[in-house]
Amino acid sequence: MVSLALTILFITLCALPGFICAYLICNDAVRALAVAPAVSCGIVCLSGVLVDALPLASSAIPVLAIAFITSMLMGAAVHILCNGFMLRRELLPTNPGRMAGLGLIVVFCLAFFAFMLLGVIDPNDSFVQYSDNLHHLSNIKSFMTSGVFNAFKTASYPQTLLQNQVPEASGVAAFYPSAFTIFAALGASLSDASAVLAENAMLYWCLAFCYPLGMFSLLESIFPRDNNYVLVALALLIVPSFPLYLIIGTPLYPNLLGMLLMPAAASLFILLIGENACPRERVSYGVLFALSCVSLFFSHPNSFFAMAVLLLPYCCHRIFELSFKKKKRPFAWRIGCSAAFVVFAACIWLGCYHSSFFEGVVSYYWQPLLSFGEAIKSVLDFSLRRGIACPIYSALVVIGIVSALRSRQTRWLVVSFFLMAAIYVVNISMDGEFKQLFSGFWYNDPWRTSAALGLFSIPLGYLGLVSIRDATAALFKRVSSPAKQLPPIAPCFFIALLIALVPSFGFNGALSQMYDTKGISAMLYNRQEIQRLNGKGSTSPLTSEEENFLDSVKDIVGSDLVLNNPYDGSAYAYVTDDINVYYKERPGSKETSDAKLVKKIDEYDTNADVEAAVQNTGAKYVLLLSTDNYTENYALDTSKYLWCWAFDYPYTDWSDFNIDSDDSSFVLVASSDNCRLYEIEDAA
């Protein structure tokens, strides 16, 4: 736990440049703290690009040094601009109630996610074995090994490797939204942690810090006169689908970071165009919003589209209000201005949809999982993608919708929620280009749209809790004396416990039958699923027995190159045991000619081309683990693929990657059950 705490501390250090910059610009310590991660991610990622371009040593320290210098210079420049070139500024008093309230919300999240995440995994050893996470872990390890933290040169293979030891053709290093993996790698480089520990530390940091900070900033910008900090904390922790759907879904860690930073970015935009902002504040919040947009770009670009859906109704609301207050325009004029802005936003959406940059994203295929009626029902009972009905939370959101509709300043929240609900329904129940147009920016993935809908429900859930508290206070005032009254907030805690612990009613038959989710609450199911996905059972690509075998393999092979089949779990050997396996990730579309021949290693003695390809890699060993966990699956072409819960295995491509016991060119040096390590006898 000491290593975990130290890594989290160093990751937090990476967010400090954002706090410095935001505090110098807006002169509000609480606001600066709340938006610090959203501002810092962009600064740190840009610093990584700059350090790589300059003749500086490739390591974490220059990246952070440049980030700190950049944040101070930028913050000071904007501060001087906003204060008329006066270096001395008036210090605004920090409201101790706001700081204490923010601290309370963070403490709630620290405890809750320690229970949900750290309570069911071993941070040093646990990781999800989905192919997406193999990519994340390999990227973290690659950044750590090369010391190059450039998001535009993201790759699963370190730049320090010789090209003949990389099975992908040159040019595989490219842009990827890598803020999550860069922050994890920076923390690991400073604390000397493993890639697995760094990923778990970053995951906990996102949940326990980024989430409450960003949501505090958003809710405070929407409800500026509220100080219901306990209710804010409860509203964050009772959402069934957010943020944990982005963990149990594939997992989707870059998406997770982007969606957790988005509320802070949205809050800065609300403050930027808000009714009461002065010119100095508009400049300050405008600069911070621009920096947060850079962070969203490096975290995950589809966070922009979630923010667009959230803020489109707010923009229309502000246009409607401004056109009335400035010149007392007629109602039809105000409606026309708002409609014109919607058309403008739709044109931008269509432009992005047809752009080559998003072509591979919007065309990604996910089959429909529900009928249209079932999808509507999954919104009404909030069962969403996993099928665990949460009628109590649904009722709370309905109360929040009613409360929001009563105020002109909050009605836009209802429109945002129903827009996201429509995108989710189209996503999970339809097919074709109409679906791609609406949900394509989320890869047409119901996990992502379900999570986004959960995020959009938080302000409404908060309003629901406030309404219940106010109604309780009014009732207590009528029926009992003050000395005998319970705190009005008590029913809110009771409702939160019901949402957390009451088993699912299984209203959504299609998905609840698919996943057998009856008899357990959404929260406890999410916790159970995190534990299952992080396990190394017999159906996992890498089992606990195979991992024990890899420990002994490392002692034998040292830093020598080891040929492997990535689908048998050996690709994880790079991040778990620092074994220099040939395939550190699943093969891509740019395999080298040598890599294609290496797959035919059973022809080593009879095919000169295979022998030359193996010799050219410089490999000295061949590692074979078991693939017995793969089975047939109805959804796949079984003549080409086998299946386990984490991978689709193109077994026909690897049928020749085997070694017979009588093959004289390979010497068996270690074995355990179905796991074997061979030394290539005539290796160069």
Side-chain angles (χ1 to χ4, degrees):
M1 294 302 290
V2 174
S3 297
L4 175 67
L6 190 62
T7 307
I8 293 173
L9 178 64
F10 281 120
I11 292 173
T12 305
L13 178 67
C14 296
L16 192 54
F19 172 77
I20 294 171
C21 183
Y23 181 65
L24 288 171
I25 289 175
C26 71
N27 193 23
D28 180 344
V30 178
R31 179 72 62 189
L33 184 60
V35 302
V39 174
S40 199
C41 274
I43 294 175
V44 170
C45 289
L46 287 175
S47 298
V49 175
L50 183 60
V51 169
D52 185 41
L54 296 174
L56 298 174
S58 297
S59 70
I61 293 177
V63 172
L64 289 180
I66 293 293
F68 275 101
I69 294 170
T70 302
S71 64
M72 287 187 284
L73 291 177
M74 188 181 305
V78 176
H79 169 74
I80 294 170
L81 173 66
C82 291
N83 288 275
F85 300 94
M86 294 176 61
L87 293 175
R88 188 176 181 83
R89 57 176 165 76
E90 178 186 356
L91 291 175
L92 297 178
T94 298
N95 183 341
R98 285 178 71 216
M99 186 63 80
L102 178 56
L104 177 69
I105 296 168
V106 171
V107 168
F108 266 79
C109 289
L110 281 168
F112 178 77
F113 290 112
F115 169 76
M116 294 293 291
L117 179 68
L118 301 183
V120 294
I121 69 170
D122 176 1
N124 292 289
D125 186 56
S126 299
F127 57 92
V128 180
Q129 295 191 39
Y130 276 122
S131 57
D132 286 37
N133 200 36
L134 174 58
H135 181 71
H136 303 153
L137 286 167
S138 298
N139 287 351
I140 294 171
K141 182 70 173 179
S142 177
F143 285 132
M144 292 167 57
T145 303
S146 65
V148 176
F149 301 92
N150 185 348
F152 292 94
K153 293 184 179 179
T154 302
S156 298
Y157 298 87
Q159 297 183 34
T160 52
L161 280 178
L162 298 174
Q163 187 56 45
N164 64 316
Q165 296 187 351
V166 179
E168 300 285 334
S170 60
V172 294
F175 172 75
Y176 186 79
S178 303
F180 182 94
T181 52
I182 286 174
F183 266 57
L186 287 169
S189 298
L190 294 169
S191 65
D192 197 27
S194 67
V196 171
L197 177 63
E199 182 182 71
N200 288 325
M202 182 63 188
L203 186 56
Y204 182 66
W205 183 79
C206 287
L207 296 172
F209 291 98
C210 289
Y211 182 35
L213 294 177
M215 287 308 304
F216 172 88
S217 186
L218 177 62
L219 293 176
E220 189 181 55
S221 67
I222 298 172
F223 312 108
R225 288 176 292 276
D226 287 9
N227 58 357
N228 307 304
Y229 302 118
V230 174
L231 296 185
V232 170
L234 291 179
L236 299 189
L237 303 182
I238 60 177
V239 191
S241 64
F242 187 82
L244 294 180
Y245 268 22
L246 296 174
I247 296 175
I248 66 174
T250 309
L252 305 164
Y253 295 157
N255 263 103
L256 173 70
L257 179 59
M259 291 297 285
L260 293 180
L261 298 181
M262 186 272 283
S267 72
L268 292 167
F269 183 82
I270 291 171
L271 294 168
L272 168 65
I273 68 170
E275 182 178 1
N276 299 318
C278 66
R280 178 190 182 280
E281 290 173 327
R282 294 194 195 282
V283 173
S284 299
Y285 292 132
V287 172
L288 292 177
F289 175 68
L291 289 173
S292 67
C293 287
V294 175
S295 297
L296 294 186
F297 173 76
F298 283 111
S299 300
H300 207 292
N302 71 20
S303 302
F304 281 111
F305 297 95
M307 184 168 65
V309 175
L310 177 67
L311 293 177
L312 175 63
Y314 178 73
C315 291
C316 292
H317 160 71
R318 290 294 298 135
I319 291 171
F320 189 88
E321 293 287 303
L322 284 171
S323 60
F324 174 73
K325 289 187 176 181
K326 294 293 185 182
K327 295 185 179 180
K328 304 291 184 181
R329 298 286 190 181
F331 182 79
W333 173 270
R334 289 180 276 160
I335 291 293
C337 290
S338 298
F341 183 79
V342 171
V343 172
F344 170 72
C347 290
I348 294 177
W349 189 282
L350 283 170
C352 293
Y353 175 75
H354 289 292
S355 71
S356 58
F357 183 79
F358 289 106
E359 182 179 0
V361 175
V362 299
S363 61
Y364 202 90
Y365 181 72
W366 278 80
Q367 65 183 23
L369 297 175
L370 299 174
S371 67
F372 182 76
E374 289 171 334
I376 295 291
K377 193 164 61 173
S378 72
V379 174
L380 295 177
D381 64 21
F382 233 84
S383 56
L384 302 179
R385 171 62 176 82
R386 186 54 94 180
I388 306 178
C390 305
I392 301 173
Y393 186 76
S394 296
L396 186 67
V397 171
V398 170
I399 295 171
I401 289 173
V402 173
S403 177
L405 290 174
R406 293 172 61 188
S407 171
R408 190 176 70 248
Q409 301 302 320
T410 55
R411 288 172 189 157
W412 65 271
L413 289 170
V414 180
V415 181
S416 295
F417 176 78
F418 281 113
L419 278 176
M420 196 66 235
I423 290 172
Y424 160 77
V425 169
V426 169
N427 178 208
I428 202 168
S429 65
M430 297 185 183
D431 218 340
E433 188 166 0
F434 184 72
K435 171 180 178 175
Q436 293 176 358
L437 177 61
F438 271 81
S439 63
F441 297 112
W442 290 268
Y443 289 84
N444 298 300
D445 180 4
W447 285 116
R448 303 176 207 240
T449 53
S450 295
L453 185 58
L455 171 59
F456 283 38
S457 75
I458 292 175
L460 300 174
Y462 166 74
L463 282 177
L465 290 173
V466 171
S467 299
I468 291 171
R469 184 207 58 185
D470 292 345
T472 302
L475 179 64
F476 284 172
K477 190 175 181 179
R478 282 187 175 187
V479 302
S480 64
S481 63
K484 297 180 179 180
Q485 288 180 12
L486 289 172
I489 203 172
C492 298
F493 277 99
F494 180 68
I495 290 170
L497 284 175
L498 289 179
I499 293 172
L501 301 177
V502 170
S504 166
F505 293 96
F507 288 165
N508 194 338
L511 288 176
S512 58
Q513 289 178 14
M514 184 185 300
Y515 293 107
D516 191 22
T517 57
K518 294 182 181 180
I520 189 170
S521 71
M523 179 199 291
L524 295 180
Y525 181 84
N526 288 340
R527 186 174 189 265
Q528 174 183 293
E529 192 70 355
I530 290 171
Q531 183 176 27
R532 182 188 72 82
L533 291 173
N534 280 274
K536 297 185 178 72
S538 59
T539 60
S540 300
L542 181 66
T543 65
S544 56
E545 292 79 10
E546 290 172 333
E547 190 173 39
N548 292 334
F549 179 69
L550 291 178
D551 293 339
S552 62
V553 167
K554 177 60 179 177
D555 296 334
I556 298 172
V557 303
S559 59
D560 291 331
L561 185 66
V562 180
L563 301 181
N564 68 309
N565 173 358
Y567 294 95
D568 63 13
S570 59
Y572 289 105
Y574 174 53
V575 294
T576 60
D577 292 87
D578 198 29
I579 297 174
N580 186 21
V581 289
Y582 188 52
Y583 280 98
K584 297 171 172 62
E585 195 181 357
R586 294 184 306 167
S589 59
K590 297 181 179 180
E591 281 188 284
T592 63
S593 56
D594 283 348
K596 294 175 182 178
L597 289 169
V598 163
K599 294 179 182 178
K600 302 178 180 180
I601 199 165
D602 67 345
E603 300 177 14
Y604 185 83
D605 284 337
T606 59
N607 188 327
D609 291 336
V610 173
E611 180 180 3
V614 172
Q615 293 291 330
N616 190 46
T617 65
K620 294 187 177 181
Y621 296 91
V622 179
L623 176 64
L624 299 175
L625 303 182
S626 174
T627 56
D628 293 343
N629 53 314
Y630 287 96
T631 59
E632 293 186 356
N633 185 276
Y634 71 94
L636 297 172
D637 181 357
T638 54
S639 66
K640 297 180 180 179
Y641 293 93
L642 292 174
W643 176 88
C644 79
W645 63 267
F647 285 101
D648 299 333
Y649 175 32
Y651 69 98
T652 55
D653 293 344
W654 294 89
S655 58
D656 295 330
F657 192 82
N658 200 9
I659 294 175
D660 295 329
S661 57
D662 58 350
D663 197 323
S664 60
S665 296
F666 302 93
V667 178
L668 182 66
V669 292
S671 65
S672 176
D673 296 329
N674 291 328
C675 305
R676 291 167 287 161
L677 176 69
Y678 292 92
E679 184 176 6
I680 304 173
E681 195 167 57
D682 55 348

